[in-house]
Amino acid sequence: MFRKTFTDCMPVLAIDLGTPNTVCVVMDRGKYRIVEVDGSHLLPSAVSYNDDGTIKAVGKAALKYYWTNKNTVRFVNRMIGCDVDAPEMKQYIDNCGCEVVKGRDGKAAFSIPAFPDRSLTPTIVSSHIIRCMADHAERQCDSKMEGLVVSVPAFFNQEQINETRIAAEMANVCDKKNIKIVSDAVAAALDYGVVSQKDSTIMVIDFGGGTADICIMKINKSTFQVLGKHGDRCLGGDDVTNAFVKLVEKKYLTKYGVDLFQCSLQSMCRRVKEEELKDRVEMAKLQFSDTDHVMIRLDDIHDQYVKKTEDYDEDEDLSEEEEMEEIVIRRSEFNQCIDGLLKRVIQLTRETLEIAGLTKNDIDNVIMVGGSSRLLALQDLVYEEYGEKMVYPNNPDECVAFGACRASSYALKAANIHFIDVVPHFYGCVKCSETSGKDEFLPLIPRNTPFPTDKVFRESLYLVQLKDGTSYPEASLDVYMSIDGTIHTARKVNTLSVTNANRAGGNAVTVQFTLDDSGMIHAMITQRIGENPLVPDTIMCSMQPQAVH
């Protein structure tokens, strides 16, 4: 499970921190190696806690407690850095396995018995998963990791990226300055480019368990430049599974005239049975690669059957109909129920082309990665859109982790690769239009801005802070993120402040943004007094270590 490369690099750990599963690759002594946990390269992204708050289990062992132990949490990647009141949170809350509450700054957090006096944040849970993978990697390599790269969905905003970085720091894997965050699809594109060793323009479609990410990268000798990236953090294989489950429930109701989960009896927990059905549906959807129909057994899940057989006499034979309750799902039915989801993936590729200023004729290869890219229905749609350009790797689950490892500063330097990424959103402020008098978005960092860069994005503004004719001693500027660069999609993400702002009519300020090598945006605001445009001792808000999100 090694890939040969350069030889003089420090040990680096790369983690594809996925929604349902986590994959880990280590680069050690010039070789890349998958880190196996319990005999598998996939570690379920789940953590179970003891009553005293200590970690009970991580991964497969934690899943055994998932529906029976209220101290078990999973699906944290979709919730990290998210507002608990966000519309998309409903579907995540139903899957996480415990109560979700409003935590710090209105962000989603978990309330579990193991932490009676405080909530447990997705950031902390993520740090425990990262630490678990690091422990396995260090044991298998017999050395401490000197660098850490964590991959995140392409459309993560600054707050989600920052919370992931905090989780990586909390895991205490290596020195903080050696931690890097990279986008999933960008990492997969880098891996393909290094392995293929040919100049081309490629598109990566990363359809994983929790998100869909698209990246377009131009490879020219040793320069790997991202031309555009896009994504949907509310679209993934788990959504496909949920749609399939609804189809099974609907067909069961039609065939037997009762709800599959009509009631819960004695020790049979409804949630346990729901999870069992999801497991069977997960296995069934993969079988469509080899057959045009699947059979899903339901007699041991349906409550009515349990009730009917509670007093079952072993000497009494049940009829064949009573012994087995099955639902047959044809591939055409399955494809129809997930068609809308998969077409959203294709639409994302079109939007990414538009962001990059390209057409599909400019693309040389389309790379399919992520566990859910195995779906034949998705492959058919991609082939229909891009034809023979579609490429399917041997191990679509591992591409992101391998690419994340290649994206480490050590690996890029050793391989003499110049790697350029881009920012997926607009960042700026809101100003009042001089013509219409209405608010409009003023972008300071445009979408698709390349990084790393030494460029400083600077804007001179005049802030008016008057209420009832009274001046206040603090001038503030709200920072916004916008998906498309308009006021309609702009949302406030932070506030920069300057104290001693003692001019009654308003305050002239300069706001400036910079980008680090993980794409994190750092901002500061300064007050301009007289002829001196920048007065250092008036800087009151440098957004480090809490970056603009």
Side-chain angles (χ1 to χ4, degrees):
M1 304 186 81
F2 289 83
R3 296 188 182 186
K4 291 186 177 181
T5 179
F6 34 83
T7 57
D8 299 323
C9 287
M10 300 179 182
V12 174
L13 180 68
I15 297 179
D16 175 10
L17 193 62
T19 302
N21 297 297
T22 294
V23 183
C24 181
V25 168
V26 65
M27 182 188 70
D28 185 32
R29 291 181 287 272
K31 296 179 179 179
Y32 292 110
R33 177 169 67 178
I34 279 283
V35 176
E36 292 194 350
V37 182
D38 299 328
S40 173
H41 68 288
L42 296 176
L43 176 82
S45 301
V47 182
S48 185
Y49 298 90
N50 293 307
D51 290 338
D52 62 358
T54 57
I55 298 175
K56 184 173 188 175
V58 179
K60 287 183 180 178
L63 284 185
K64 291 190 296 186
Y65 307 106
Y66 182 49
W67 292 112
T68 58
N69 182 354
K70 289 294 185 180
N71 288 328
T72 302
V73 183
R74 72 172 186 177
F75 285 105
V76 297
N77 194 38
R78 274 187 161 183
M79 294 188 177
I80 192 167
C82 293
D83 293 334
V84 72
D85 296 327
E88 67 272 14
M89 288 300 294
K90 175 63 171 63
Q91 65 191 72
Y92 307 159
I93 291 172
D94 292 340
N95 288 331
C96 71
C98 61
E99 183 183 1
V100 177
V101 296
K102 183 176 292 187
R104 175 176 53 88
D105 298 328
K107 304 304 176 186
F110 308 110
S111 177
I112 61 177
F115 299 92
D117 301 326
R118 62 184 176 90
S119 57
L120 181 67
T121 67
T123 305
I124 293 175
V125 179
S126 295
S127 73
H128 293 158
I129 295 173
I130 293 172
R131 183 65 254 175
C132 173
M133 296 303 288
D135 289 340
H136 283 280
E138 290 174 354
R139 283 195 295 268
Q140 292 179 29
C141 296
D142 194 27
S143 62
K144 180 175 173 57
M145 298 295 107
E146 299 292 337
L148 173 64
V149 183
V150 181
S151 70
V152 297
F155 220 50
F156 259 22
N157 60 38
Q158 289 288 300
E159 185 164 23
Q160 292 168 304
I161 295 173
N162 192 48
E163 290 298 318
T164 303
R165 185 179 185 87
I166 292 172
E169 293 175 356
M170 292 173 62
N172 196 27
V173 176
C174 63
D175 192 299
K176 292 180 180 180
K177 71 177 185 295
N178 295 332
I179 296 174
K180 185 174 183 178
I181 309 297
V182 65
S183 298
D184 293 337
V186 171
L190 181 60
D191 182 62
Y192 175 83
V194 171
V195 174
S196 66
Q197 295 184 337
K198 64 178 182 180
D199 293 351
S200 58
T201 300
I202 64 174
M203 173 189 287
V204 167
I205 300 176
D206 179 9
F207 194 43
T211 60
D213 292 327
I214 314 296
C215 169
I216 297 176
M217 177 181 284
K218 183 176 180 62
I219 303 167
N220 183 13
K221 296 181 174 60
S222 61
T223 299
F224 290 65
Q225 182 174 4
V226 177
L227 302 180
K229 63 183 180 182
H230 194 27
D232 188 339
R233 64 183 183 86
C234 303
L235 175 62
D238 191 58
D239 301 290
V240 171
T241 298
N242 290 337
F244 196 1
V245 167
K246 290 180 180 178
L247 174 63
V248 172
E249 291 183 35
K250 181 179 179 181
K251 291 205 67 174
Y252 189 92
L253 177 62
T254 301
K255 182 175 181 179
Y256 294 101
V258 292
D259 291 335
L260 183 56
F261 302 113
Q262 190 171 13
C263 58
S264 296
L265 301 172
Q266 298 180 3
S267 63
M268 296 295 290
C269 173
R270 175 189 177 95
R271 296 172 67 185
V272 172
K273 288 181 282 185
E274 287 176 339
E275 183 64 13
E276 175 62 27
L277 177 59
K278 286 193 69 172
D279 288 343
R280 295 183 191 186
V281 163
E282 283 280 0
M283 292 185 289
K285 72 180 185 182
L286 297 178
Q287 295 174 24
F288 284 122
S289 299
D290 303 313
T291 181
D292 63 354
H293 71 279
V294 296
M295 299 181 68
I296 302 176
R297 181 178 175 179
L298 301 171
D299 55 87
D300 54 343
I301 293 179
H302 181 222
D303 284 322
Q304 297 303 317
Y305 183 85
V306 172
K307 181 178 181 180
K308 177 173 56 180
T309 58
E310 277 178 343
D311 301 321
Y312 168 57
D313 184 349
E314 294 184 1
D315 295 328
E316 179 184 353
D317 291 330
L318 293 175
S319 67
E320 183 177 348
E321 181 179 356
E322 290 176 319
E323 288 179 350
M324 188 73 70
E325 292 180 1
E326 291 182 331
I327 291 294
V328 177
I329 305 291
R330 300 197 175 277
R331 183 191 295 168
S332 58
E333 294 176 298
F334 172 65
N335 289 350
Q336 184 177 4
C337 86
I338 64 171
D339 184 63
L341 296 172
L342 302 187
K343 284 182 176 177
R344 283 168 59 187
V345 177
I346 301 301
Q347 181 59 29
L348 284 174
T349 68
R350 296 168 181 164
E351 292 171 1
T352 310
L353 284 169
E354 183 177 349
I355 291 170
L358 301 175
T359 68
K360 60 184 178 183
N361 294 329
D362 298 313
I363 304 299
D364 297 310
N365 294 111
V366 178
I367 321 302
M368 304 282 290
V369 303
S372 299
S373 67
R374 292 184 173 90
L375 291 169
L376 285 181
L378 177 60
Q379 294 178 25
D380 289 343
L381 286 175
V382 172
Y383 185 84
E384 182 180 318
E385 186 80 4
Y386 297 100
E388 299 289 345
K389 296 177 180 181
M390 188 178 75
V391 177
Y392 193 77
N394 291 330
N395 298 302
D397 296 305
E398 303 172 359
C399 297
V400 171
F402 273 110
C405 212
R406 296 185 188 280
S408 70
S409 299
Y410 299 135
L412 293 174
K413 184 176 180 180
N416 193 30
I417 291 175
H418 182 42
F419 177 53
I420 305 170
D421 204 342
V422 296
V423 178
H425 303 103
F426 292 86
Y427 289 90
C429 56
V430 172
K431 69 173 185 176
C432 182
S433 171
E434 296 179 0
T435 55
S436 67
K438 297 180 179 179
D439 286 343
E440 59 183 36
F441 182 73
L442 174 65
L444 297 179
I445 295 185
R447 180 177 62 189
N448 245 29
T449 296
F451 69 86
T453 177
D454 294 328
K455 181 177 179 180
V456 176
F457 302 86
R458 186 179 288 112
E459 186 78 19
S460 296
L461 302 169
Y462 194 73
L463 306 182
V464 178
Q465 192 80 343
L466 295 176
K467 291 183 180 179
D468 300 326
T470 305
S471 64
Y472 285 75
E474 179 180 283
S476 63
L477 174 69
D478 292 333
V479 179
Y480 288 79
M481 179 198 79
S482 174
I483 293 176
D484 59 5
T486 69
I487 189 66
H488 306 293
T489 61
R491 70 177 186 87
K492 178 181 172 182
V493 293
N494 219 317
T495 300
L496 306 178
S497 301
V498 173
T499 58
N500 300 322
N502 52 13
R503 302 187 63 181
N507 294 274
V509 300
T510 295
V511 60
Q512 62 184 46
F513 290 166
T514 56
L515 284 162
D516 65 20
D517 65 351
S518 289
M520 287 297 298
I521 298 173
H522 305 283
M524 62 183 181
I525 187 170
T526 63
Q527 185 179 11
R528 294 184 289 120
I529 301 175
E531 297 299 319
N532 190 352
L534 291 175
V535 183
D537 62 359
T538 63
I539 297 176
M540 301 306 297
C541 186
S542 177
M543 299 302 288
Q544 294 204 48
Q546 182 186 358
V548 177
H549 32 278

